[in-house]
Amino acid sequence: MAVGATLMMLSGVALGGAQYLLHTATSKVTQQNLLGAAAAPQHRTITGAKNILLVGVDTRPHQDPSQLIRSDSIILVHIPADHSQAYLVSLPRDSLVTIPAYRNGATSYAGGKNKINAAFAFGSRGLTGAPALSHGFELLALTVRDLTGITPDAGAIIDFQGFKKIVQVLGKVCMYVDETTTSIHVGRDDATGQSAAPYKINPDGTVNHRIPGVTPNIYTKGNHCLDPAQALDFVRQRDLLANHDYDYGRQRHQQQFLKAVLHQVMTEGLNSPTKLPGLLSAVGKTMTVDDGGIPLGDWAFAMRGIQPDAITTIKTNDGTFNSRTVPGVGSAEILSPTSLELLRSVRDDTVGSFVQAHPSWVAASEPTTPAH
């Protein structure tokens, strides 16, 4: 939507040319029924406040298709009725929620209390490819609807592996790293200088131990221009963050990364004849979208006024841990009463008032000039 809207505004071409470019941009995006039973009633229009459910997945090359797909990042995008700005609200993936009973044709889930990212896993269980994405997203959307009262107007799956291709087209992504972050996945062998894993990782993704003779990648606090491999590595990290904020830190970094990529796409990519074709192709391969019955072109035109600096990121639980050990689930995050108030403000289109009353919940961005 951002690509199409920016083409409409900034391409400097005649209306017919802009419409052609808009069609080119939107036709590259993979469209699929993701919301299923969680979709809003039909005959929707683009007017009024809108809520979009974004789900980030982190697929890996040669990943075992029998492994459950868990959603790394769950973001509610709220667009007020005047379509002038957007708010990003991340739901911690370990949030304790009630997941409804569900059947996907291959298997079933009886329902119960669990971490919210398990909804995607239970919905997609026993399936592969597009059906796994559809059913996983549907059960997650139903879980979010039951938790918040929000019926998503549209939905999208973002593959962070695919963002590596977008950064490859751009050449780099420049952003502010707000806390020193040590990679558990990528490092360099001290003896050979070759890339090597710096830590032994357990099957559940937790760190086992440091591997001697390998120095991990470290992203220090400050301005950085990250190459494609570094960018993907950085947004995956949650274990060795300087502020020990784990998933909250990773959520914030992923939001900051999305904003940085959007800004760079709009300022460097869309007016470049050499970058534009590859950029549109990379964006299309990175996202799978359910437009909620509203054509993508209409979404693009209606949201054309939302610039990167008009996107506000908000922290649930004020970015602090509120954990509880739950039998059969493990350590889970409990959404605070104020977090539930935030989610009600998303439902009721009163997020602006919530932000005014809780300014510390806004994830502050650093006014910086990126290094080159």
Side-chain angles (χ1 to χ4, degrees):
M1 293 186 293
V3 170
T6 308
L7 287 170
M8 294 283 286
M9 293 188 299
L10 302 180
S11 61
V13 299
L15 178 60
Q19 289 175 335
Y20 171 77
L21 291 174
L22 178 60
H23 170 74
T24 301
T26 57
S27 66
K28 298 288 186 181
V29 177
T30 301
Q31 297 195 58
Q32 186 175 326
N33 180 4
L34 299 174
L35 292 168
Q42 295 303 305
H43 310 298
R44 305 287 293 178
T45 67
I46 197 62
T47 58
K50 296 296 174 190
N51 294 306
I52 304 168
L53 179 62
L54 295 185
V55 176
V57 297
D58 188 11
T59 60
R60 308 296 174 97
H62 314 299
Q63 180 170 305
D64 184 350
S66 66
Q67 291 183 344
L68 292 177
I69 304 172
R70 290 182 181 266
S71 44
D72 250 10
S73 183
I74 304 167
I75 301 174
L76 281 168
V77 181
H78 176 70
I79 301 165
D82 63 4
H83 298 173
S84 63
Q85 57 188 313
Y87 298 95
L88 304 185
V89 179
S90 282
L91 293 172
R93 69 175 199 160
D94 289 341
S95 299
L96 184 66
V97 298
T98 299
I99 302 175
Y102 185 77
R103 176 176 290 276
N104 68 12
T107 185
S108 62
Y109 172 65
K113 291 277 189 181
N114 214 309
K115 298 177 183 180
I116 193 169
N117 74 329
F120 200 104
F122 293 145
S124 61
R125 188 167 52 183
L127 302 171
T128 59
L133 297 181
S134 292
H135 287 282
F137 195 101
E138 181 182 22
L139 182 54
L140 177 58
L142 290 169
T143 303
V144 170
R145 187 190 67 181
D146 291 352
L147 172 70
T148 65
I150 297 167
T151 299
D153 296 286
I157 295 173
I158 300 173
D159 185 349
F160 281 100
Q161 179 70 31
F163 263 93
K164 183 176 179 179
K165 298 176 182 176
I166 296 178
V167 180
Q168 284 173 338
V169 177
L170 293 171
K172 62 183 182 300
V173 61
C174 296
M175 61 182 294
Y176 182 79
V177 174
D178 63 6
E179 61 179 321
T180 296
T181 300
T182 300
S183 174
I184 66 170
H185 300 118
V186 181
R188 189 168 297 277
D189 188 292
D190 296 339
T192 66
Q194 299 298 310
S195 179
Y199 288 87
K200 175 68 175 177
I201 307 300
N202 296 317
D204 63 358
T206 58
V207 175
N208 187 304
H209 65 269
R210 173 81 176 269
I211 296 176
V214 179
T215 299
N217 281 7
I218 297 177
Y219 307 98
T220 56
K221 182 176 180 179
N223 297 316
H224 291 277
C225 287
L226 306 176
D227 66 28
Q230 291 171 330
L232 180 61
D233 183 45
F234 172 69
V235 299
R236 282 176 169 166
Q237 303 308 316
R238 65 168 181 156
D239 293 88
L240 302 181
L241 308 184
N243 297 338
H244 306 293
D245 44 5
Y246 300 98
D247 271 321
Y248 285 110
R250 179 165 67 173
Q251 286 175 3
R252 188 175 66 256
H253 297 161
Q254 288 176 345
Q255 291 177 338
Q256 292 165 346
F257 172 71
L258 292 175
K259 288 180 65 175
V261 169
L262 176 59
H263 180 269
Q264 220 156 312
V265 164
M266 295 175 71
T267 57
E268 298 182 16
L270 296 181
N271 289 325
S272 170
T274 58
K275 291 181 179 179
L276 183 58
L279 187 60
L280 296 182
S281 177
V283 169
K285 292 176 181 177
T286 297
M287 301 187 71
T288 301
V289 174
D290 185 333
D291 61 19
I294 300 171
L296 288 181
D298 293 351
W299 278 103
F301 186 78
M303 307 305 158
R304 65 192 182 277
I306 302 176
Q307 300 294 310
D309 58 3
I311 300 174
T312 301
T313 59
I314 306 176
K315 304 172 288 186
T316 47
N317 283 0
D318 200 11
T320 58
F321 288 101
N322 187 27
S323 304
R324 179 192 306 166
T325 299
V326 180
V329 175
S331 179
E333 281 295 292
I334 309 302
L335 291 173
S336 67
T338 310
S339 291
L340 296 176
E341 180 186 344
L342 166 62
L343 295 173
R344 287 193 294 271
S345 75
V346 173
R347 180 195 64 194
D348 299 336
D349 192 22
T350 57
V351 182
S353 298
F354 178 91
V355 167
Q356 287 184 339
H358 305 87
S360 69
W361 284 52
V362 174
S365 59
E366 296 288 338
T368 61
T369 301
H372 293 281

